[in-house]
Amino acid sequence: MKFYVTTPIYYVNDVPTVGHAYSTIAADVLARYHRLLGDEVLFATGTDENGLKVVRAAADRGLDPQTHVNQMADLFRREWQSLAISYDDFIQTTEKRHRRAVQAFMEALHRSGDLYLGEYEGWYCVSCETYFREQDVADGRCPNPECGKPVERLSEPAYFFRFSRYGERLLKHIEEHPGFLLPEFRKNEVVAFIERGLNDVCMTRHSDWGIPLPSSIPDSEGMVVYVWADALVNYLTCAGYPDDEERFQRFWPADVHVMAKDIFVRFHASLWPAMLMSVGLPLPKKVVAHGYWTLGGKKISKSRGAHMPRPQPTLDVIVQETGCTRARAVDALRYHMLREVPFGQDGEFSGEALLGRYADDLGNDLGNLLHRVLAMIGRYREGRLPAPCPPDPALHPAAVSAAEAWESAMEALDFSGGLKAVWAFLAEVNRYVDQQAPWSLAKRGEEEALDRALYSTAEALRIAAALVSPVMPHTADDIEAQLGLRGWKREWSQTKEWGLLPGGGAIGKAEALFPRPDRRKAQAAPEQARAKKEQGAMISIKDFQKLDLRVGQVVTAEAVAGADKLLKLTVDIGEEQPRTLVAGIALSYRPEELVGKKVVVVANLEPAVIRGVRSEGMVLAGWVKGDDKSITLVTPDRELPNGAKVT
Ligand code: MSP
């Protein structure tokens, strides 16, 4: 199978923002996923260089237009490379191959009888590169609500495209191909737009920057192709149109065009399909519009000036705040953008939310899980994987359903839904580790069960690596390396298989995938100075929210041999197994008076071994400083179920 996915080609008057990055990352995820399926993928992106804006921007910089566009195209290339965008083709519309394609396409339009010579009289917005009708322009300003800049009066001979002919055929196509336009609610906007009646579109203008109309079209002297018609044809150019017949047959029609809603209704969902119908070419299979990334509720764009979130400074912040590598920050940004907002919706861009996801989803759910499992394989099996075991019923079906959910999500372009399903699987794996409690199996000498638990969790992580790999390619590589899979050829089908990790294989070096911000800062400062500084220091609500405080009930309590201040408790905090923890409360509570008591537990405290007992949490208590007998447990004022969150 082949798979051809495109992003919009971006105007070179702008530097890349997180908004541009979003479309490009989404397309990259599709491309990577299809490569894993074994498809022959063509992933094309590029820059839109023939607009009027370019001449002005180049003049402002004192450059000739071609030098200016080449520099800007390089900027975009570098940006995408740094974000692990695996494009196969980067098109600049000033390239020869594109000029050839656009001219051939205009000839085809002319042959079809859909291009006619008329007089253009009306308004043109240079900023939007769009012509507007008389009745749409009030007080000389662009009617696009996001623009509103002054429009220019134009009156000149021009070629028009008989767009008005295509309303019925477009509506029919949309109706007969339910998956053609996504999301569904935007499809309705397109239908409404077409039903209001289509006006013919001016396809040329007079300029000396742009692609000249071919001389085979009469009276075309001095005319260049309207930049939008030129830009849309890029999707054909990248597929080999018009000269590489074999490539074109292979890749056209495109499988997915990705973009935001700004260029969906008028251009990609109606004008473009009509142009293709006119020349008799098949239509793209899917045209998909996502929402806007906003800042303070307004679309992120160049006009936001210094406050505009851009990918590189965002990566800098992630690295500074967490101490992670840049590759990891790239993965975190990619994950965050696709997970945070359902694909069709707008979303507010927030560094806080990004760091929150970093800590919770990536640090806790994924990174810690890997770390725990590898540490146990290190400790109990000298760093070698146990022999493969049969599919574990607690994990294998969960892996298969996550893979299937991801597959449907890729069809529906539901990135956040797909990731949610993968994280539901990770939650299963985390739960499995807690339930199996390999540390207890080890203590009880249940070697076979321990082998099974360790192998199964490692195998689940191998699957998780493949599942997350389209979104987080670096992380997937590193998980595989830590599992000892070097030179592993990843394929999608492996996400549903079991037992692929080789038994006896040596695991790689365990390194924190997503280092915790607090830990890094702690390492930087000498221990005592830090403790002093942190006491009384302000913490943010975000810091506080990191605490997983839960209501628990003491199940058993006993003294700890050789320690008169300590008690060993088991506390039910709503998990399958009660937690074991050690509390320094023996001078104020006798074990028997604790059983049944409701307490508050810090559930996400790193486990520690205290006097030979592994303590997996802490109970909250107050005291009068220096008086151990005054220690008083914090207990809920009214009845709350075990496991209830305390916030
Ligand atoms: N050159 C045209 C596209 C021609 S495609 C044949 C163009 N360029 S653009 O530089 O303005 O890019 C618009 C696209 O950039 C949007 O459709 C979207 O893909 C992406 N985005 C730019 N800012 C964005 C947000 N703030 N939020 C989401 N996507 C954004 O239009």
Side-chain angles (χ1 to χ4, degrees):
M1 294 267 277
K2 68 87 188 177
F3 182 76
Y4 177 24
V5 56
T6 69
T7 73
I9 48 170
Y10 303 110
Y11 288 132
V12 287
N13 63 326
D14 220 344
V15 291
T17 68
V18 291
H20 300 113
Y22 185 51
S23 316
T24 316
I25 291 169
D28 184 63
V29 169
L30 292 172
R32 286 175 182 272
Y33 165 65
H34 279 270
R35 288 192 198 105
L36 283 183
L37 287 177
D39 289 345
E40 190 186 348
V41 170
L42 172 58
F43 168 21
T45 186
T47 39
D48 188 349
E49 305 178 342
N50 287 324
L52 260 193
K53 280 185 265 194
V54 166
V55 183
R56 297 186 185 177
D60 288 347
R61 294 179 66 207
L63 295 174
D64 70 280
Q66 192 63 54
T67 310
H68 166 66
V69 298
N70 288 346
Q71 283 182 2
M72 295 304 290
D74 275 343
L75 188 79
F76 275 87
R77 277 196 195 90
R78 280 200 302 277
E79 187 77 46
W80 299 153
Q81 279 154 13
S82 95
L83 293 176
I85 304 298
S86 61
Y87 59 78
D88 301 297
D89 194 355
F90 187 103
I91 185 168
Q92 295 187 238
T93 55
T94 51
E95 283 174 62
K96 258 211 204 87
R97 58 170 173 157
H98 184 60
R99 170 190 284 239
R100 167 92 187 100
V102 170
Q103 293 187 334
F105 191 87
M106 294 307 284
E107 278 172 347
L109 272 188
H110 191 245
R111 271 198 307 276
S112 74
D114 281 335
L115 216 51
Y116 66 91
L117 193 58
E119 183 78 13
Y120 178 76
E121 172 100 32
W123 300 103
Y124 187 72
C125 173
V126 176
S127 182
C128 299
E129 305 277 15
T130 306
Y131 298 96
F132 291 101
R133 292 175 304 179
E134 204 65 49
Q135 65 263 39
D136 292 335
V137 173
D139 52 19
R141 294 198 167 263
C142 175
N144 171 1
E146 283 151 23
C147 175
K149 296 199 181 114
V151 286
E152 292 177 9
R153 189 78 195 159
L154 278 181
S155 170
E156 58 186 29
Y159 271 97
F160 286 80
F161 170 57
R162 291 190 204 279
F163 193 25
S164 54
R165 269 191 185 169
Y166 286 91
E168 285 305 312
R169 279 181 67 185
L170 285 170
L171 290 173
K172 187 156 174 280
H173 186 88
I174 293 169
E175 198 185 312
E176 286 172 0
H177 299 82
F180 174 50
L181 302 177
L182 287 175
E184 191 68 22
F185 68 93
R186 284 218 186 281
K187 170 169 128 182
N188 303 336
E189 286 175 25
V190 176
V191 170
F193 171 74
I194 298 171
E195 282 174 346
R196 277 201 298 276
L198 300 174
N199 294 299
D200 290 350
V201 173
C202 181
M203 297 293 262
T204 63
R205 57 156 305 143
H206 282 85
S207 167
D208 38 15
W209 182 252
I211 299 182
L213 224 58
S215 50
S216 57
I217 298 177
D219 303 316
S220 59
E221 188 65 33
M223 289 184 190
V224 296
V225 178
Y226 168 39
V227 66
W228 259 106
D230 154 349
L232 288 163
V233 172
N234 96 84
Y235 301 133
L236 298 178
T237 315
C238 292
Y241 181 85
D243 297 324
D244 191 341
E245 188 60 24
E246 201 186 314
R247 180 179 166 89
F248 191 62
Q249 286 302 328
R250 176 108 192 95
F251 285 110
W252 192 259
D255 292 81
V256 189
H257 290 321
V258 177
M259 75 218 62
K261 58 188 178 181
D262 51 349
I263 55 177
F264 180 69
V265 175
R266 180 190 277 263
F267 295 112
H268 283 83
S270 49
L271 176 61
W272 178 228
M275 285 165 64
L276 290 166
M277 283 174 173
S278 170
V279 302
L281 285 174
L283 304 199
K285 291 188 198 146
K286 269 183 201 154
V287 182
V288 188
H290 56 72
Y292 287 155
W293 281 96
T294 60
L295 196 64
K298 290 210 192 102
K299 182 185 174 194
I300 291 172
S301 71
K302 190 181 170 189
S303 56
R304 311 304 301 275
H307 298 296
M308 175 182 67
R310 289 189 292 120
Q312 297 310 318
T314 307
L315 296 177
D316 291 342
V317 170
I318 304 174
V319 169
Q320 276 158 20
E321 288 288 316
T322 69
C324 71
T325 60
R326 202 157 182 91
R328 196 75 62 220
V330 167
D331 281 9
L333 176 67
R334 290 168 61 108
Y335 172 80
H336 170 73
M337 294 196 87
L338 292 180
R339 173 73 195 260
E340 185 75 0
V341 179
F343 202 54
Q345 310 289 322
D346 291 354
E348 178 76 2
F349 192 81
S350 136
E352 292 257 300
L354 200 170
L355 289 170
R357 287 221 173 265
Y358 174 101
D360 297 340
D361 303 12
L362 302 179
N364 283 341
D365 302 343
L366 180 59
N368 274 358
L369 173 65
L370 178 71
H371 206 72
R372 270 168 101 190
V373 171
L374 291 176
M376 289 190 288
I377 294 174
R379 193 173 321 133
Y380 304 129
R381 290 297 178 257
E382 291 170 349
R384 296 211 164 259
L385 289 165
C389 59
D392 195 301
L395 292 179
H396 186 49
V400 173
S401 55
E404 286 171 353
W406 180 263
E407 287 161 14
S408 336
M410 288 299 90
E411 278 300 306
L413 282 288
D414 176 13
F415 296 92
S416 61
L419 285 170
K420 232 178 248 165
V422 174
W423 254 255
F425 169 59
L426 288 175
E428 281 304 322
V429 185
N430 272 303
R431 209 166 302 139
Y432 178 88
V433 174
D434 291 341
Q435 278 165 10
Q436 295 285 317
W439 48 92
S440 309
L441 296 174
K443 206 167 10 169
R444 295 199 296 270
E446 296 179 33
E447 300 301 332
E448 228 173 89
L450 179 59
D451 274 348
R452 240 196 344 264
L454 294 179
Y455 185 85
S456 298
T457 40
E459 180 66 354
L461 278 160
R462 174 200 55 84
I463 296 172
L467 290 172
V468 302
S469 68
V471 177
M472 300 200 291
H474 305 106
T475 304
D477 287 349
D478 289 348
I479 296 175
E480 286 173 358
Q482 293 196 22
L483 289 171
L485 291 173
R486 264 162 287 264
W488 179 251
K489 185 162 178 332
R490 199 183 297 141
E491 287 167 18
W492 186 256
S493 58
Q494 298 159 347
T495 57
K496 296 177 195 162
E497 291 173 42
W498 187 267
L500 300 187
L501 274 180
I507 55 169
K509 193 163 167 246
E511 270 167 299
L513 284 182
F514 296 93
R516 282 193 208 185
D518 44 358
R519 209 181 280 164
R520 187 180 80 110
K521 284 188 187 135
Q523 275 163 2
E527 195 62 21
Q528 286 190 342
R530 183 184 56 105
K532 213 170 180 180
K533 217 165 128 197
E534 283 182 1
Q535 267 182 24
M538 301 296 271
I539 62 162
S540 70
I541 184 76
K542 204 179 82 209
D543 291 331
F544 177 74
Q545 281 163 349
K546 284 184 201 151
L547 287 175
D548 182 8
L549 296 176
R550 282 192 246 165
V551 171
Q553 189 165 27
V554 179
V555 183
T556 62
E558 58 188 275
V560 175
D564 56 1
K565 290 187 184 172
L566 300 181
L567 290 181
K568 175 181 164 187
L569 311 178
T570 57
V571 182
D572 174 359
I573 57 166
E575 296 175 335
E576 205 85 359
Q577 300 284 336
R579 290 273 182 112
T580 301
L581 41 94
V582 175
I585 54 173
L587 296 183
S588 42
Y589 289 94
R590 274 172 294 131
E592 57 276 18
E593 60 178 309
L594 286 170
V595 175
K597 199 181 257 314
K598 290 272 184 176
V599 290
V600 176
V601 173
V602 185
N604 60 343
L605 194 68
E606 255 180 77
V609 178
I610 303 169
R611 294 283 174 134
V613 180
R614 191 181 148 88
S615 179
E616 300 163 334
M618 186 172 106
V619 284
L620 293 189
W623 71 319
V624 179
K625 208 166 172 217
D627 178 5
D628 285 344
K629 294 202 174 107
S630 71
I631 293 175
T632 303
L633 287 169
V634 173
T635 187
D637 184 37
R638 285 192 222 145
E639 183 58 29
L640 276 171
N642 297 343
K645 281 207 65 86
V646 177
T647 53

